């Protein structure tokens, strides 16, 4: 297998890890005011992701760094053409991170509610915009012969991309609700379980529509298989949630998100950013990549450090594996 293909797959894995892990973070943030009916319950929700949310964001930072080093043409075109939506995502993530840190600095209800709104907005906006961005990558964007984006911001707000944003939002909220049902006890767990079942139906309908539309735009045999498996995983997760098997339900929604993202990358390959102007203008794993020597060095670095990161993050989740309830929150 060529190193360009290896790094395409590795970047896909990094984004899969990001959407699976940060996905439930976004879902918890969006549901903060819905499932948390008082300050103590909202603190329970925040504490379920408190030890892991910042570690989960490392996945997208690593994905961006890998894209910059392995496919600099892809990185340059993506971050210049999608400048505004990616800037909005960055601002939202910064605001959400500040809100987590500052919410408890003052014992004032109005102060906390303002930061709660920041957590909500900082989770909602990226949950939508990541779907819009990836849908546009799969659909293709106007690129000229120099591989530069020649469209405008509103070119990105097409019906297919907006459906992608609705799909990621619904999937992340479902994933987050199931995570809360898995990590909490008492009334919060009961409400999360019920809400996951309701939102899950919306997520299933949106995901099926989006994946079918995606395969009509760009497809491959592997992408079709992955799309079917993603649908089955989501149905299995929702059925497990219905019988209160939250562990299996979480595995189901995590697998559904992972397989759906893998489906998009499989449909995209060997392109990394198709052009809607002319096929010759498209960026591929070949014309967007770094030199073979650069890819070789990066591969050895990844072989050494990736297992260390995975072991550390896995250990973090194991340490903070227990359920939380309002009785664990001091007055």
């Amino acid at each position: 297998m060529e190193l360009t293909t290896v790094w395409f797959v590795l970047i896909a894995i990094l984004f899969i890890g990001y959407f699976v892990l940060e996905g439930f973070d976004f879902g918890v943030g969006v549901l903060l005011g819905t499932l948390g009916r008082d300050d103590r319950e909202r603190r329970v929700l925040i504490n379920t992701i408190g030890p892991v949310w910042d570690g989960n964001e490392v996945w997208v930072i690593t994905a961006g760094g890998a894209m910059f080093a392995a496919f600099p043409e892809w990185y340059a075109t993506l971050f210049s053409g999608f400048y505004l939506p990616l800037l909005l995502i960055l601002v939202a993530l910064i605001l959400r991170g500040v809100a987590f840190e500052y919410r408890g600095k003052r014992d004032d209800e109005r102060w906390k509610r303002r930061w709660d709104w920041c957590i909500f907005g900082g989770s909602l906006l990226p949950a939508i915009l990541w779907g819009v961005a990836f849908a546009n990558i799969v659909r293709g964007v106007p690129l000229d012969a120099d591989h530069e984006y020649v469209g405008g911001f509103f070119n990105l707000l097409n019906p297919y991309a907006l459906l992608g944003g609705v799909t990621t939002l619904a999937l992340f909220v479902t994933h987050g609700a199931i995570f809360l049902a898995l990590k909490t006890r008492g009334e919060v767990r009961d409400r999360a379980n019920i809400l996951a079942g309701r939102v899950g139906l919306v997520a299933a309908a949106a995901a099926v529509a989006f994946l079918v539309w995606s395969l009509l735009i760009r497809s491959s045999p592997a992408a079709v298989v992955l799309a079917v498996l993603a649908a089955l995983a989501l149905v299995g997760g929702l059925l497990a949630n219905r019988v209160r098997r939250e562990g299996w339900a979480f595995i189901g929604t995590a697998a559904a998100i992972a397989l759906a993202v893998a489906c998009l990358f499989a449909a995209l390959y060997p392109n990394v950013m198709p052009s809607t102007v002319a096929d010759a203008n498209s960026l591929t794993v070949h014309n967007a990549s770094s030199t073979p020597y650069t890819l070789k060095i990066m591969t050895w670095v990844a072989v050494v450090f990736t297992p260390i990161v995975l072991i550390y993050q896995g250990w973090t989740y194991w340490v903070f594996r227990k359920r939380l309830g309002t009785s664990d929150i001091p007055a």
Side-chain angles (χ1 to χ4, degrees), residues 58-89:
V58 171
W59 286 79
V60 74
I61 297 171
T62 307
M67 189 184 296
F68 173 77
F71 301 102
E73 286 275 357
W74 184 14
Y75 180 91
T77 301
L78 177 66
F79 280 79
S80 59
F82 289 31
Y83 180 80
L84 183 55
L86 292 177
L87 176 63
L88 290 174
I89 290 174

Side-chain angles (χ1 to χ4, degrees), residues 266-284:
L268 194 61
Y269 183 83
N271 294 302
V272 293
M273 186 165 282
S275 172
T276 56
V277 176
D279 288 340
N281 298 349
S282 297
L283 284 169
T284 69

